[in-house]
Amino acid sequence: MRVPGIVYATADLLPQASGDRALEQVAAVATLPGIVRASCAMPDIHWGYGFPIGGVAATDTEAGGVVSPGGVGFDISCGVRLLAADTDRDVLAPRLPRLMDVLGDTVPRGMGRGGLWRLSGRREMDELLAGGARYAVERGHGTPRDLEFCEDRGVLEDADPSDVGERAAERGARQVGSLGSGNHFLEVQAVERVYDAPVAEAFGLRPGRVCVMIHTGSRGLGHQVCTDHVRVMDRVSAHYGIDLPDRQLACAPVDSPEGRAYLRAMAAAANYGRANRQLLTEAVRRAFDTTAGAEVELVYDISHNMAKLETHEVDGVPRRLCVHRKGATRALPAGHPDLPEEPAGAGQPVLVPGTMGTASYVLVGKEGNDAFHSACHGAGRVWSRHQALRRVRGEQLRGDLEATGIAIRPATWRGLAEETPQAYKDVDAVVDATAGAGLARPVARLVPLGVVKG
DNA sequence: ATGTCC
């Protein structure tokens, strides 16, 4: 190990399940060339491909530091968008079943299944990969205001579609505006509790307000980009003298042709992810308009699977770093220069989705975060999908959740069972640990009213 | 996460 490993967690939140090798992964990441300060992990840490999910690793780009696709994850720019409707839960209540039916009928989800926007060909795909959510808005899918509250204002300018392979583009062509499967969802929620009134007000969150949380990423396109670039890096890393304890950490120097190509393709996939969430926003608007006569505005959109070139002080000296966040959310404090989309000068919103039937949180970035301005991204799995399927039946789970007043519109019974809340850590404990470690400050707690499940 | 193996 070149640096220590730091896991921000209580004992209860540490990986304990047999077969969860996430802590070994924290140690393996600490061997990467150019890594600085520490190999970090958030309280929702669990086992992932190469890097742990919940992992944060920063490498010094001017000291041979590497970039690794495994440090971003297969679902590039997987993230969360929070919307707020101009209605309260008590007002919406009589119309909620119909709203859920319309959302269930119009939100594409599950494996394959198509998307809301069928692109005309590679030329239009390249426009979308270069323009992200901004391109979607230019084509009429949303309003310019949406972009003001989207991380990077909806587009990473250093994306290059020519680094995205043909197969990735083909897989993505029919999936713009779709949820996917696994832990992805679209949830109607209500603000249940506010912890920080001034910041909550700046974010537009008042008790009782109806919100919609969208959790999805870059679908088959991001998956194929990751696959393609892992293969390249697996081939070349030895040529750069890089010795790895695990092939899944395949990487190349940030300042190498392969490293730069990955970052350009990753940015293009990230733009696809933001456009995807933008299209789903429009479906939500149509559903709220027709069933409740309510309007919907964007609170914030942020990804938790990304690598970013950022400046941080290391041993008192500002360094240009490649910060990998995999299942970890950037959490910048108020007034940070990398935050052009900051709502009302309050700091970066950190959107933390829980699981079906449990709460979700909005936190905010703060000063004094020594994990490269990062926070948790969700609850974190404790049961494998296989374990969940052995113990839970989807039909039973839906009945249980509906009995507690939460409407469920599943894609498949199997997918629902895999996502049982019991398969996850307690999101309230994860957020407590995140706040206790000084990584972010709680702003509001949201509770589910209805779930459209991927 | 993922046309759950080209």
Side-chain angles (χ1 to χ4, degrees), chain A residues 65-379:
Chain A
V66 295
V67 61
S68 173
V72 171
F74 273 87
D75 192 5
I76 295 166
S77 188
C78 182
V80 181
R81 172 173 288 216
L82 185 66
L83 311 170
D86 62 346
T87 187
D88 281 25
R89 63 182 300 175
D90 296 339
V91 175
L92 180 69
R95 293 163 179 168
L96 182 67
R98 170 133 166 75
L99 171 66
M100 294 308 300
D101 286 341
V102 171
L103 288 171
D105 288 343
T106 57
V107 172
R109 58 195 187 279
M111 298 282 284
R113 304 282 177 93
L116 294 164
W117 186 7
R118 176 74 183 266
L119 299 179
S120 60
R122 179 72 203 229
R123 180 176 293 194
E124 188 171 31
M125 171 60 80
D126 285 355
E127 298 258 8
L128 183 137
L129 293 174
R134 187 179 64 201
Y135 177 67
V137 169
E138 284 167 4
R139 293 296 306 273
H141 304 294
T143 71
R145 185 196 173 280
D146 293 341
L147 303 177
E148 288 178 37
F149 299 103
C150 195
E151 187 183 15
D152 310 306
R153 293 189 182 271
V155 57
L156 287 163
E157 302 288 358
D158 46 359
D160 190 340
S162 67
D163 289 298
V164 173
E166 198 52 45
R167 195 156 154 204
E170 281 169 13
R171 286 180 68 173
R174 284 171 296 200
Q175 296 181 322
V176 189
S178 66
L179 273 182
S181 58
N183 63 356
H184 290 165
F185 65 75
L186 185 154
E187 194 166 284
V188 180
Q189 307 174 333
V191 180
E192 181 226 29
R193 189 173 161 192
V194 162
Y195 303 93
D196 185 323
V199 175
E201 189 180 336
F203 293 172
L205 303 173
R206 58 168 190 273
R209 189 171 191 184
V210 172
C211 293
V212 175
M213 185 172 276
I214 300 169
H215 180 203
T216 187
S218 52
R219 306 290 280 101
L221 182 137
H223 190 277
Q224 192 65 45
V225 165
C226 182
T227 300
D228 293 346
H229 288 261
V230 162
R231 190 170 295 146
V232 170
M233 290 190 177
D234 185 52
R235 206 165 56 222
V236 302
S237 54
H239 298 298
Y240 290 108
I242 299 168
D243 185 26
L244 297 170
D246 179 352
R247 278 181 74 177
Q248 293 185 354
L249 298 174
C251 58
V254 173
D255 189 19
S256 70
E258 296 84 4
R260 287 190 294 268
Y262 171 69
L263 286 171
R264 292 190 298 260
M266 182 209 71
N271 286 341
Y272 182 99
R274 282 93 184 265
N276 186 26
R277 292 191 287 272
Q278 183 64 38
L279 265 291
L280 291 166
T281 301
E282 289 294 280
V284 169
R285 285 185 168 135
R286 288 190 291 271
F288 270 77
D289 181 47
T290 57
T291 64
E295 295 196 356
V296 171
E297 64 180 25
L298 181 56
V299 175
Y300 200 61
D301 181 305
I302 189 165
S303 48
H304 46 234
N305 280 9
M306 286 285 289
K308 283 200 154 174
L309 301 179
E310 301 174 357
T311 301
H312 293 263
E313 277 199 6
V314 180
D315 299 327
V317 182
R319 304 294 300 178
R320 198 65 181 156
L321 305 179
C322 179
V323 183
H324 303 70
R325 296 187 183 86
K326 178 189 192 176
T329 313
R330 195 167 76 156
L332 296 175
H336 194 283
D338 288 346
L339 199 50
E341 70 284 357
E342 182 179 9
Q348 184 158 38
V350 176
L351 307 178
V352 182
T355 71
M356 279 179 299
T358 68
S360 295
Y361 282 84
V362 177
L363 319 180
V364 66
K366 59 185 281 294
E367 300 284 354
N369 179 314
D370 55 1
F372 307 99
H373 291 310
S374 310
C376 62
H377 88 302

